[in-house]
Amino acid sequence: MVTGFLGCLGAIKENKCLLLSFFIVLLVILLAELILLILFFVYMDKVNENAKKDLKEGLLLYNTENNVGLKNAWNIIQAEMHCCGVTDYTDWYPVLGENTVPDRCCMENSQGCGRNSTTLLWRTGCYERVKMWFDENKNVLGTVGMCILIMQILGMAFSMTLFQHIHRTGKKYDA
């Protein structure tokens, strides 16, 4: 919001300082995004490892009090993605007990279907399903990323164009 405010106010008031600040902030954001993207791909194995570990630790909080949001999130993901656990349904055994999984892991969801049930469960882990979803939708995600990149570059180009125009015309303000 602050970045957009700098750009809008700088353009409306034709203020070189605000336009230059807008350009610099957009440049810093763009460079940070590129660095994070490169680091993500360089350390992909560690990201996968840590994500699995953190998700499994999150499973342990499933039945604790004050974690209704976490419980609902796991239930929604398992129901929508047709998956169970992080790597597979056995991830739930240390949390809920032997041969017990959340009811949302059942292919036909009903009250208590996750107790002592191993036959009609989603076998695929949610981590793999989410990775498959990202892989299936990488074109859409790439297109959205490219659109954001183009918008940032256009914002930088227009702010510099206006900055140069103001500089050439010699507008000066007493403020």
Side-chain angles (χ1 to χ4, degrees):
M1 248 172 63
V2 172
T3 306
F5 177 75
L6 285 174
C8 284
L9 193 62
I12 290 169
K13 295 290 185 182
E14 295 184 356
N15 186 309
K16 288 182 358 182
C17 180
L18 290 176
L19 287 171
L20 188 60
S21 298
F22 177 71
F23 176 83
I24 290 171
V25 169
L26 275 183
L27 181 64
V28 168
I29 290 171
L30 180 71
L31 291 175
E33 289 170 348
L34 291 174
I35 289 169
L36 287 173
L37 187 66
I38 291 168
L39 288 174
F40 177 77
F41 283 111
V42 168
Y43 294 106
M44 181 74 85
D45 293 336
K46 287 194 182 226
V47 169
N48 283 332
E49 245 177 65
N50 288 333
K52 279 185 183 178
K53 188 181 94 184
D54 291 344
L55 286 170
K56 285 187 179 182
E57 288 173 4
L59 284 181
L60 299 174
L61 302 173
Y62 181 78
N63 270 341
T64 58
E65 287 187 34
N66 299 326
N67 279 318
V68 176
L70 179 73
K71 186 174 189 171
N72 289 340
W74 269 111
N75 287 337
I76 290 169
I77 288 171
Q78 290 177 142
E80 294 294 319
M81 302 290 280
H82 302 296
C83 59
C84 188
V86 178
T87 53
D88 63 6
Y89 64 94
T90 60
D91 292 336
W92 288 108
Y93 292 173
V95 179
L96 301 175
E98 198 65 32
N99 291 333
T100 304
V101 296
D103 292 339
R104 292 297 181 120
C105 284
C106 300
M107 290 182 183
E108 294 179 16
N109 185 24
S110 63
Q111 187 68 30
C113 69
R115 290 188 181 5
N116 298 321
S117 175
T118 56
T119 54
L120 297 173
L121 300 176
W122 301 113
R123 301 276 180 199
T124 309
C126 292
Y127 186 77
E128 289 303 316
R129 293 292 288 186
V130 170
K131 277 180 63 174
M132 286 175 9
W133 183 87
F134 274 108
D135 193 45
E136 292 167 0
N137 294 294
K138 64 184 167 196
N139 293 337
V140 174
L141 295 171
T143 302
V144 169
M146 289 303 290
C147 289
I148 292 171
L149 175 72
I150 289 168
M151 294 296 284
Q152 286 177 311
I153 291 173
L154 283 174
M156 292 168 58
F158 289 144
S159 70
M160 274 296 103
T161 303
L162 187 56
F163 177 88
Q164 286 299 320
H165 177 70
I166 294 167
H167 184 70
R168 276 193 222 115
T169 57
K171 288 189 177 182
K172 297 204 177 2
Y173 292 99
D174 295 331

